[in-house]
Amino acid sequence: MTPGDLSGQKAEKRSEQAQRENLLHNLRHDVWVRLGSSSVHGVGVFALRDIPEGTDPFLSAGRSSCQEGEDEAVAIPEGTLASLHPAVRSHVTSFFNKHICSLQHSHCHDLIGDLGGTEMSVYSVIADGPNKMDVSFYINHSRRSANLAPFLPAGCTWFRFKTTRMVREGEELFFDYHELGQDVSSLKD
């Protein structure tokens, strides 16, 4: 074994220790929610412990609320979804926000320019695809019981959530889908 091998092993061990410390910090300070059976709609997100007002309960270990290139949204024209396998198309339309894209939306400029229109119906999908979804995608809709609100951190292209009040342990988390321009006509409140 050479001195270079030893220094490489020491660096790897320090890296593992830093990763472990980072994960333990996350487990102690940033893990707030779990998935559970919802009386409102199938699966929901529930507080593991009391969550203070103004908290983003969905931070991952080692991540700020927005990092360069992290969780970017890509506008996919609704008509393009017809080219997907039906089950994949259903998955995308079930989980991602459908909205009208216009020249006012920076992530739509290339689409609208290419198609020569002024607006179109699109789905905003995570750039890395649906397998990157976190538990926040299971937040159910409620106008009356909303205890989360979406916000867009500086420098981010993908929204995050913050609690709008103290959320008690065991309580389900909700947000009002109207805040993202979603069609909620088929959802019960």
Side-chain angles (χ1 to χ4, degrees), residues 4-5 11 15 34 38-39 53 67 73 78 80 88 93 102 113 122 126 129 134 141 151 153 161 164 166 183:
D5 291 340
S15 175
R34 66 170 177 80
S38 171
S39 62
E53 181 177 346
Q67 291 181 333
E78 185 174 24
T80 303
V88 174
T93 60
S102 70
V122 300
I126 296 174
D134 64 31
H141 162 73
F151 74 102
F161 291 97
T164 58
M166 168 69 79
D183 175 14

Side-chain angles (χ1 to χ4, degrees), residues 147-180:
N147 48 20
L148 292 169
F151 74 102
L152 188 63
C156 294
T157 59
W158 193 255
F159 64 90
R160 307 278 314 163
F161 291 97
K162 282 190 179 178
T163 52
T164 58
R165 61 171 176 77
M166 168 69 79
V167 178
R168 297 291 177 198
E169 181 178 334
E171 185 178 349
E172 185 168 359
L173 282 73
F174 295 101
F175 87 99
D176 181 357
Y177 289 6
H178 288 98
E179 292 190 47
L180 297 178

Side-chain angles (χ1 to χ4, degrees), residues 10-80:
K10 286 180 184 177
E12 188 176 313
K13 190 170 190 162
R14 280 193 303 271
S15 175
E16 288 174 9
Q17 281 179 316
Q19 190 176 23
R20 185 177 305 104
E21 288 170 16
N22 192 33
L23 177 58
L24 286 170
H25 181 274
N26 174 261
L27 292 170
R28 290 181 184 119
H29 304 286
D30 296 323
V31 176
W32 299 99
V33 297
R34 66 170 177 80
L35 295 177
S37 179
S38 171
S39 62
V40 174
H41 187 75
V43 176
V45 179
F46 294 83
L48 283 168
R49 54 187 170 147
D50 290 352
I51 307 172
E53 181 177 346
T55 300
D56 178 348
F58 303 106
L59 291 178
S60 299
R63 305 213 186 265
S64 64
S65 64
C66 182
Q67 291 181 333
E68 185 69 28
E70 178 74 17
D71 294 338
E72 294 203 12
V74 175
I76 305 293
E78 185 174 24
T80 303

Side-chain angles (χ1 to χ4, degrees), residues 73-75 99 101 104-111 122-124 157:
V74 175
H99 61 96
C101 234
Q104 296 173 337
H105 301 100
S106 60
H107 69 288
C108 297
H109 288 177
D110 64 322
L111 284 174
V122 300
Y123 283 84
S124 291
T157 59

Side-chain angles (χ1 to χ4, degrees), residues 96-121:
F96 294 98
N97 183 33
K98 177 182 173 183
H99 61 96
I100 301 297
C101 234
S102 70
L103 291 174
Q104 296 173 337
H105 301 100
S106 60
H107 69 288
C108 297
H109 288 177
D110 64 322
L111 284 174
I112 292 173
D114 290 346
L115 299 176
T118 57
E119 62 181 37
M120 69 176 58
S121 182

